[in-house]
Amino acid sequence: MCGFFTLVLVVVSAIWIYAIWRKPREYSLDDARRIQNRWLIGGGIVLPSVTIVLLLLFGIPVGTRMMQLPILGEQPLQIEVIGHQWWWEVRYPDSGVVTANQLHLPAGRPVDITVTSADVIHSFWVPRLGGKIDMIPGRENRIRLQADAPGTFRGQCTEFCGTQHSHMILDVQAHSDEDFAAWIDARREPQIEALQGEAGATFMAHCGTCHRVAGVSAGNRAPDLTDLASRRTLGAGLLPNEPGAPLTWLREHGRIKSGTGMPLTDDLDAEHLQAIATWLEGLEP
């Protein structure tokens, strides 16, 4: 599609340059009318008709794949994605799995994505898998995606949603059927040991009221942390999730991603903060 548009641009530009630089010629009235008719028919009817037909040949199959039409055989997987300022909540209703800022799906199988927003208008888009669709508070929209082969893709919010709009990245990974089933099964009933002692109490008082960790805390205002250590990034794509990254985020999130609703941690005990970060690094199925 991009190559076709490039070809159109080159052809139109070449004609435009030729029209500007060519030397004027004298034409009889009949010749002038014949040339005029040629341009009217060629440029006003033939060219637009051919262009529209080619666009439809490309666009109709793509658009059909995005529509949630009935299909035979294995039915589409259902996934719910909720946009927040500035992160993604991802739910798998068939299994009860909840995660954040990452979307895992099986390759070769249609996936029906139901999207909405918890605050302002966002827009869901994974360019290499399909079109975009708005995420509107109080309303559900749906789109069908399909990855033909396993791979990693980037999703992005494409509706300006505030100061950190450009830092609202969704990590999309398509797996083989076996790998996807294993990914889901590992998160169905996670067994997580709560952080003990004063550090655990600090987590419950300052983090657990907003963040959910399965079996430990029930917060629902901020990203789910149940499988945090298995994610490739923190902060919706801003910080590589490498050793020490959780502590960096806890200490410097206000600088790394300003404007989030996460309170500063300057008043918390440094040892408690270190213990919380170490515990978070172990939250992996």
Side-chain angles (χ1 to χ4, degrees), residues 7-260:
L7 177 61
V8 171
L9 176 62
V10 170
V11 171
V12 172
S13 299
I15 295 174
W16 175 66
I17 294 173
Y18 169 74
I20 292 176
W21 291 101
R22 72 184 180 93
K23 295 181 179 180
R25 295 173 56 187
E26 296 293 335
Y27 294 98
S28 67
L29 183 59
D30 290 339
D31 288 340
R33 287 176 177 172
R34 185 171 59 254
I35 294 172
Q36 173 182 286
N37 291 336
R38 185 187 305 163
W39 279 105
L40 285 175
I41 295 173
I45 298 177
V46 176
L47 179 60
S49 299
V50 171
T51 301
I52 291 173
V53 169
L54 290 176
L55 289 174
L56 289 175
L57 289 176
F58 281 103
I60 288 177
V62 174
T64 301
R65 288 184 59 178
M66 292 168 54
M67 297 175 64
Q68 295 183 313
L69 301 174
I71 61 174
L72 299 175
E74 188 176 23
Q75 294 303 299
L77 175 69
Q78 302 295 321
I79 302 179
E80 299 171 355
V81 180
I82 304 170
H84 299 257
Q85 288 182 306
W86 294 274
W87 59 281
W88 307 86
E89 179 181 354
V90 181
R91 295 180 171 272
Y92 297 78
D94 294 339
S95 60
V97 172
V98 180
T99 188
N101 299 324
Q102 58 176 349
L103 175 63
H104 291 255
L105 44 86
R109 178 183 176 186
V111 178
D112 285 350
I113 310 287
T114 301
V115 303
T116 188
S117 171
D119 36 52
V120 301
I121 296 177
H122 301 277
S123 190
F124 175 89
W125 190 30
V126 185
R128 292 176 60 191
L129 298 184
K132 64 182 71 174
I133 192 166
D134 283 345
M135 313 172 79
I136 302 172
R139 175 176 175 178
E140 291 184 346
N141 287 330
R142 294 173 177 83
I143 190 171
R144 178 170 292 174
L145 304 181
Q146 180 172 329
D148 295 326
T152 300
F153 312 92
R154 171 175 169 143
Q156 179 71 52
C157 177
T158 57
E159 181 78 26
F160 182 74
C161 54
T163 56
Q164 295 294 333
H165 160 68
S166 61
H167 297 147
M168 187 172 168
I169 299 168
L170 180 64
D171 182 26
V172 182
Q173 298 183 45
H175 305 271
S176 65
D177 289 341
E178 297 77 11
D179 289 345
F180 178 73
W183 187 88
I184 287 290
D185 289 341
R187 289 159 175 78
R188 285 184 187 274
E189 296 181 1
Q191 304 297 319
I192 297 176
E193 183 178 349
L195 182 61
Q196 303 299 315
E198 293 184 1
T202 298
F203 174 83
M204 293 302 296
H206 295 272
C207 309
T209 55
C210 294
H211 293 277
R212 173 183 178 268
V213 176
V216 177
S217 61
N220 60 3
R221 296 177 55 193
D224 190 294
L225 303 178
T226 301
D227 63 349
L228 180 72
S230 68
R231 300 172 195 170
R232 301 198 307 162
T233 64
L234 302 179
L238 272 181
L239 190 64
N241 194 8
E242 55 194 16
L247 182 60
T248 299
W249 176 263
L250 290 175
R251 287 175 172 171
E252 303 181 37
H253 62 272
R255 177 187 61 82
I256 297 172
K257 194 169 187 176
S258 61
T260 65

